[in-house]
Amino acid sequence: MDFKLPEDIEFLKQSIRDFVDNEVDPLAMEIEEKDEIPEKIMNMSMEMGLFGLSIPEEYGGVGIGMVGKCAIYEELGRTHNGYTTVIGAHTGIGSVGIVEMGNSEQKKKYLPPMARGEMIGAFALTEPSAGSHATNLKTTAVRKGDKYILNGSKHYITNAPIADIFTVMAVTDPSKGAKGITSFIVEKDFPGFTVGKKEKKMGLHGSHSAEIFFEDCEVPVENVLGQEGQGYVNALKILANGRAGLAARNLGSCDKLLEMSIQHANTRIQFGKPIFEQQIIQHYLADMALDIEALRSMTYRVAWMVDQEMKVIKEAAMVKLLGSEVYNRVADKAVQIHGGIGYIAEYPVERFYRDARITKIYEGTSEIQKNIIAAQLKHEYL
Amino acid sequence: MNIFVLVKRTFDTEEKIVVTGGAIQEDGAEFIINPYDEYAIEEAIQVRDAQGGEVTVVTLGGEDAEKQLRTALAMGADKAVLINTEDDLDELDQFSAAYILAEYLKDKEADLILGGNVAIDGGSGQVGPRVAELLGINYVTTITKLEIDGKTVKIVRDVEGDSEVLEAELPLLVTAQQGLNEPRYPSLPGIMKAKKKPLEELELDDLDIDEDDVKAKTTTVEIYLPAQKVAGRVLEGDLSDQVKELVSLLHSEAKVV
Ligand SMILES: Cc1cc2nc3c(=O)[nH]c(=O)nc-3n(C[C@H](O)[C@H](O)[C@H](O)COP(=O)(O)OP(=O)(O)OC[C@H]3O[C@@H](n4cnc5c(N)ncnc54)[C@H](O)[C@@H]3O)c2cc1C
């Protein structure tokens, strides 16, 4: 058993750390206040190849496995989570569908510009009637000649305002339930497709989610992703694939919070000594470190399992769940250790605290992850 | 265009440096490409991209320097050469480094050789010019701009904050000053490709160099950190008394007036 990251992955990780520390983190406050990612950062991220993280080398991407991706996500998680989400939604749910289920024409057409960051991807499953109950979709797709005509709407779609292509799940056969759902690649310029206004959110500033609308939207038959009727399975696969990556991003944020908390505890003097010397503060820090270590082990193990092409339904749900619960616990303790300044917007801790909250909701709520784990347990044991 | 870049692995002076027993502790220190050499690498890549040709990065040192070479390859250099002196030489000085590099370069038909203006560790700024002298080619130090047109090179160099514009002919050695360019971060695909790029390792034997011929000509007597800054002194009392006290302190303690 070897718990060390391969040398080239360490190299990638270090290089992202330098970039994040020198270029992104100094602008975190600006991102937060202006609610947008500076163009310079977007351009540098493109030049560094970050947008091609999930894309194979032959299509101009980085061509690394899940362990490598997690190492990079971990570093990205250390900085502003809005920035990380813009990248993550594109490299994760926004491009994985085409990489995994796309045919060779689709890959040739879409992946190279996606790898360069010239084409941004988004993933559109959730609808007002279909949140956790993701099969309860109302968006329909009716075949007409060599086109499908889509009607309906979706909401909370991350990257929608900047995205060029969307992986969209729609109902092709209402009589078949989950097996009547098909996934499509929809370009933003297809007739009948529009993006609504950006939502105002508690956190993840700089990353934008919006409604999208299909009004007799014409999608060519060649833009069906995978087979007709496989859309729901595709969506589950895309989401499952992303789960270790999301956990890795959370891991990076937790690490950063622990570092900041230790520094603060060591320099903040009350009652004539650093608060670090209070046993309860030490225990908070110990609990944070313990949680983080458990998350680290699990994240990289699940990533390794993905790379071994092992089945990871239960484990992916577990690591998504652990990642978001740990992040929220760690962020809460970090605020507590920082005291008042942990609540003040001039200091990054409160931002992490707000940004942590979404991780228990999107890409499947914590409750839904438990449902998935229990269903797998039933399957395994009964 | 046949381009060579002289690269040095140095410790990161922005990280904590510990000196014990007259030597810098390598344990716990962070190692980087000498920042001035990064400008040289970036410039070499830009020249290659504009003019065609090949960039070879060369370093002297031990196995550990492979990491800095891989970084240069990830940035976009084509080939790397490590001249491993670890087993042959305990200490290198500017003389030995220049001699070895010149021996390596002498039959390479380099059109352009780039290096950093100084290394942030030793800070001598000698190796580049010495190599050029040994090779018998022109050199220009502390450059902030480089334009190549055929065999003619137009250069702006920094002279203590002012600029000097010169023209030189290839083959040429230049050393890079801050401001020459903005070195790129190695891209992720660049890092993956760097694994497959050639990294040649040579020893003094391979260059027909006798270790006695390159023994350091200088000895380091002592290494120490700069004295810790102490807090300033705040003068108090009547303003005119403060002025008097200040003048007297500048005279007697600071000895500047
Ligand atoms: C910022 C943001 C970005 C998003 N990005 C995207 C995106 O890019 N693409 C996309 O498709 N979607 C996206 N979403 C949608 C997100 O995935 C959903 O919000 C999430 O799945 C929950 O659905 P819901 O909001 O409808 O909540 P509901 O499903 O209404 O859930 C409400 C509560 O009930 C619980 N609950 C529901 N059903 C059960 C059950 N069976 N058992 C136990 N508890 C249950 C939930 O866990 C939750 O606590 C995003 C959401 C947000 C807020």
Side-chain angles (χ1 to χ4, degrees), chain A residues 71-232:
Chain A
I72 290 169
Y73 283 136
E74 186 185 339
E75 293 305 322
L76 293 175
R78 294 173 55 86
T79 189
H80 196 292
N81 286 187
Y83 163 73
T84 315
T85 302
V86 171
I87 306 269
H90 166 88
T91 56
I93 54 180
S95 48
V96 165
I98 301 177
V99 173
E100 301 275 320
M101 295 107 193
N103 59 37
S104 74
E105 278 73 42
Q106 291 166 340
K107 288 184 186 177
K108 266 187 236 151
K109 181 170 178 191
Y110 295 114
L111 294 183
M114 289 183 91
R116 291 192 296 269
E118 290 160 14
M119 204 179 240
I120 303 287
F123 172 84
L125 174 66
T126 306
E127 296 180 7
S129 65
S132 298
H133 188 189
T135 51
N136 194 34
L137 299 176
K138 300 288 177 238
T139 299
T140 56
V142 179
R143 177 139 186 191
K144 239 190 193 170
D146 56 359
K147 288 197 170 74
Y148 279 87
I149 308 297
L150 270 61
N151 276 292
S153 72
K154 301 206 168 254
H155 69 174
Y156 307 153
I157 307 307
T158 301
N159 277 354
I162 57 166
D164 301 280
I165 62 167
F166 296 76
T167 302
V168 174
M169 269 50 66
V171 179
T172 39
D173 187 346
S175 68
K176 287 197 184 146
K179 292 198 173 111
I181 296 170
T182 301
S183 43
F184 298 89
I185 305 169
V186 176
E187 296 181 23
K188 70 165 194 264
D189 295 326
F190 283 172
F193 177 79
T194 46
V195 177
K197 67 167 178 40
K198 298 170 184 172
E199 300 289 357
K200 284 210 172 102
K201 311 189 295 325
M202 180 197 290
L204 292 190
H205 293 161
S207 157
H208 295 289
S209 300
E211 264 183 287
I212 58 174
F213 304 97
F214 307 90
E215 279 173 86
D216 293 329
C217 173
E218 296 175 14
V219 180
V221 176
E222 61 263 26
N223 275 33
V224 169
L225 188 60
Q227 305 298 316
E228 194 176 297
Q230 269 190 353
Y232 186 62

Side-chain angles (χ1 to χ4, degrees), chain B residues 45 69 73 112 121-122 140 241 253:
Chain B
I45 294 167
L69 289 178
L73 292 172
L112 183 64
D121 51 3
V140 183
D241 290 342
E253 269 189 29

Side-chain angles (χ1 to χ4, degrees), chain B residues 141-158:
Chain B
T141 57
T142 58
I143 72 160
T144 55
K145 196 172 174 188
L146 180 81
E147 270 172 22
I148 300 178
D149 184 8
K151 284 265 165 216
T152 312
V153 189
K154 211 172 142 190
I155 293 168
V156 180
R157 73 182 284 262
D158 169 49

